[in-house]
Amino acid sequence: MKAITTLILSLTLSATSFSQNFSMSGSEIGFDLAFSASTNGGNAGIGLKYGLNLGENLIVGPSVRYERTWVKNNVTGFNGGYNVFGGGAFVHARFYDALFLAVEYEILKSPFTTNGFLTGINSSWANTLFIGGGFSKEFNESFRINASLLYDVIDADNSPFKRSYSISQKDANGNIVKILPIIFRLAFFIPIS
């Protein structure tokens, strides 16, 4: 935890010192949506970000997330659901109105235990630290779309995002031996000043 705090503090100070050469140029509200559904359940959620533009290339700010997941199993008769919520901070660096790099930290109330099992009694907090990047494009100065691949450096056993990881490594027999902590995220940013 000390290493995570040090990393976040270092990124914040770096962003602050980097931005001293630039004036603040407004702010933005960003959001990413999650939705999936099947006969076995689904999930719906939203992540909100408030970003301060430090010059033309750097945006930093806080974030909050809420997600509701429901489960319906006709074989075992287990039906239920759980909520995931929490907050964090992010830093995005944009280049040439085409690419961006991202660091996003969130601490989320997770319904999973540290061994990955769903618990209805003792929820725990899960740290996530996504690092990655992707494409970023502004449209008529009205909104911006970020499409990114993000890698969870922490990859906590109780991370609620584990169900969203879809890239895996397989052995010679085709058996999955490891699921990589990578997610795809599509986010929209709207300038507000």
Side-chain angles (χ1 to χ4, degrees):
M1 190 65 177
K2 184 177 178 182
I4 294 167
T5 306
T6 304
L7 178 63
I8 292 170
L9 183 59
S10 297
L11 289 171
T12 305
L13 291 174
S14 297
T16 303
S17 63
F18 175 77
S19 68
Q20 288 177 355
N21 297 330
F22 301 97
S23 61
M24 286 188 38
S25 60
S27 57
E28 302 176 4
I29 291 185
F31 63 93
D32 60 83
L33 302 172
F35 179 79
S36 68
S38 72
T39 56
N40 297 323
N43 73 310
I46 186 168
L48 296 173
K49 294 177 173 66
Y50 174 75
L52 295 173
N53 292 11
L54 304 177
E56 293 182 22
N57 300 330
L58 191 64
I59 181 170
V60 300
S63 64
V64 294
R65 182 166 306 280
Y66 173 79
E67 188 169 308
R68 174 72 182 163
T69 299
W70 60 94
V71 180
K72 181 179 179 184
N73 191 326
N74 294 327
V75 176
T76 64
F78 174 77
N79 295 319
Y82 55 86
N83 298 311
V84 173
F85 58 90
F90 73 99
V91 177
H92 288 178
R94 299 171 178 162
F95 306 98
Y96 309 110
D97 193 34
L99 301 172
F100 83 104
L101 297 176
V103 176
E104 301 183 359
Y105 171 78
E106 290 179 342
I107 183 165
L108 302 169
K109 188 71 166 174
S110 174
F112 300 100
T113 62
T114 54
N115 59 10
F117 294 110
L118 185 62
T119 177
I121 302 168
N122 296 323
S123 302
S124 59
W125 290 95
N127 291 290
T128 63
L129 179 61
F130 287 104
I131 295 176
F135 298 101
S136 179
K137 181 69 179 160
E138 184 179 56
F139 294 91
N140 296 328
E141 298 183 4
S142 301
F143 68 96
R144 174 179 294 277
I145 296 177
N146 287 354
S148 59
L149 278 176
L150 302 170
Y151 181 87
D152 187 358
V153 177
I154 297 173
D155 191 22
D157 290 334
N158 64 336
S159 172
F161 289 121
K162 281 200 177 285
R163 303 326 181 246
S164 303
Y165 301 155
S166 58
I167 299 174
S168 59
Q169 293 178 338
K170 296 182 180 181
D171 63 13
N173 297 326
N175 300 317
I176 295 174
V177 293
K178 184 176 183 180
I179 297 176
L180 301 175
I182 297 172
I183 63 168
F184 172 76
R185 186 170 283 167
L186 187 63
F188 301 88
F189 284 84
I190 301 166
I192 57 175
S193 61

